[in-house]
Amino acid sequence: MRVAVLAAEAVPYSKTGGLADVAGALPKALRQVGVDSLLITPLYRQTKENLIEHLAIDDLWVVWRGQNYKTQVYYSEANGSPTFLIHAPEMFFRDSIYGYREDYERFAFFNHAAIVLLRRIGNAPDIVQLNDWHCGFAAIEIAKLRRWDSYWHNTRTVFSIHNMAYQGAFGTEELWKLGFGDDFSRNAFSTGGAASALKAGLADSDMLSTVSRRYSYEIQMAENGYGLDWLLRQRSDRLIGITNGVDYDVWNPETDSDLPAHFNAQDLSGKRMCKRSLLQKFFLPENLDKPIFASITRLTSQKGFELIRQTVGEILATGAYFIALGSGERESEDFLQKLKNYAPQQVGIYIGYNETLAHQIEAGADVFLMPSRFEPCGLNQMYSLRYGTVPIVRAVGGLDDTVENFDRVSSTGNGFKFREFSADKFLEKIYEALFTYYEPETWRKIQWNGMMTDNSWENAARKYVQLYNMTRS
Ligand code: ADP
Ligand code: GLC
């Protein structure tokens, strides 16, 4: 089976969040279970030059807004699968990946160029896997092509939802210019008086998937459906939840090259060294017996950072450390800065994006905080599990599916979990974690349970293969 994965960001070429981790790892995992997969993604300014292996196509002509547009395509296997990077400097060679008024147009172009490329490769894929709103355009283009172009006759599309909160909305008057002026396309894109690339992907892909089972139910309800829950209910027989995996080639405390020392479930002595080094890094006193609470996140309302703001004072009052790595909303960034000034001996902050530090925090911390409002899957709680860092999560989406609350009687569970979005409920779990931290044997058991949890991509990749088979039949 031939599968082409399209994604706006993919590790190690580009990244703003978990979508990149998944898009980078899935094609490799698919290859490992026997699928002939490839990845197509834009070439950004942030893509490191040394990742590129060679120029694959010097002149990929893309007809765009009535003009012939020359793009180049670079090739790499840096993520463990054949990857084609679309080089269209005007569109993608910019300071950041997203955040431009014409983002919808940039990704519409990306989709169109990817389709031209798939045609040029000369071997039509059985499945094109589309990820998030950035790839909604391709769902419509392929659905239309299939009607008259025999090349695409047997190609089916799977649309994977990583986050319903981002819709890729724009004015319907733009549809003509993007080549989607016909009735079929207009219907697919239109919602609430605007055009939405997400809606198009949901409406006309052959199958839909999302990144956890729980989220696949949540998005069928108004609260998390962003006005499209009706469509997901209507297509629920075509929607399936597959929990993301972890790329243990990248996130493994036994081999992680970003760490000052290595460790595993049997021997945690290296974790203690990572903790010491993390405290040093933030110029904090080296009191290794006090727990480190940590957070690594995009500072957006999705992540429930306000619950951390409301409880961090109590955490510090117990003498614990708090270390945060994140960037996003100004108010939260300012809060972190103030917190640092207030308790410089207990608080470490890094405002910005720092991949190496993310690994070091996962390894050196004791407790990971993830009180999300909603969370389609969430990767950091799974990284935490593998690094012996106990997660405290809210029971939503993938967090609910991957973290099991620790039960003292049966000694089962790998973290702490609360349901209601309230500081009190979160604090209860924080205290429970603190109490347990000071019972080393019990704590060791929770860490063990977490480190032994198997979230490898292999399981997930097999489920994708089943999904692809269903899609083709
Ligand atoms: P989301 O994709 O919604 O942000 P996930 O938990 O799926 O949430 O994935 C987040 C990914 O982004 C993780 O790999 C995490 O380590 C990384 N990340 C988030 N913020 C930062 C940051 N400031 N610096 C480095 N990595 C970050
Ligand atoms: C999105 C979601 C996150 C998920 C990631 C990868 O960014 O917010 O929960 O883990 O996609 O699927």
Side-chain angles (χ1 to χ4, degrees), residues 14 18 41 69 78 90 98 112 129 145 155 158 174 192 208 218 228 237 255 262 276 286 324 339 355 361 408 450 457:
S14 56
T41 190
Y69 196 97
E90 253 177 70
Y98 313 116
H112 186 51
Q129 173 162 347
L145 279 171
T155 299
V158 170
E174 295 293 304
L208 308 175
E218 289 171 348
L228 296 173
D237 60 331
T255 53
H262 294 126
R276 184 188 301 280
E286 288 169 46
L339 192 70
E355 195 82 31
I361 294 176
R408 284 179 165 268
W457 261 110

Side-chain angles (χ1 to χ4, degrees), residues 9 16-23 131-132 160-166 210-212 215 242-244 298 300 302-303 370 372 374-383 397-399 457 464:
E9 52 181 284
T16 69
L19 168 63
D21 288 326
V22 173
N131 294 281
D132 270 355
S160 295
I161 306 160
H162 298 262
N163 201 331
M164 288 288 292
Y166 302 97
T210 186
V211 288
S212 69
Y215 193 60
I242 302 177
T243 304
N244 290 328
R298 294 184 291 115
T300 63
Q302 168 184 349
K303 302 296 176 179
M370 215 160 159
S372 304
F374 69 93
E375 196 62 74
C377 178
L379 296 170
N380 273 120
Q381 83 281 12
M382 294 197 272
Y383 301 155
L399 297 176
W457 261 110
Y464 275 101

Side-chain angles (χ1 to χ4, degrees), residues 134-152:
H134 326 100
C135 301
F137 307 93
I140 304 306
E141 193 166 335
I142 293 173
K144 288 199 291 184
L145 279 171
R146 216 157 57 189
R147 292 185 192 156
W148 57 268
D149 183 345
S150 61
Y151 183 80
W152 296 102

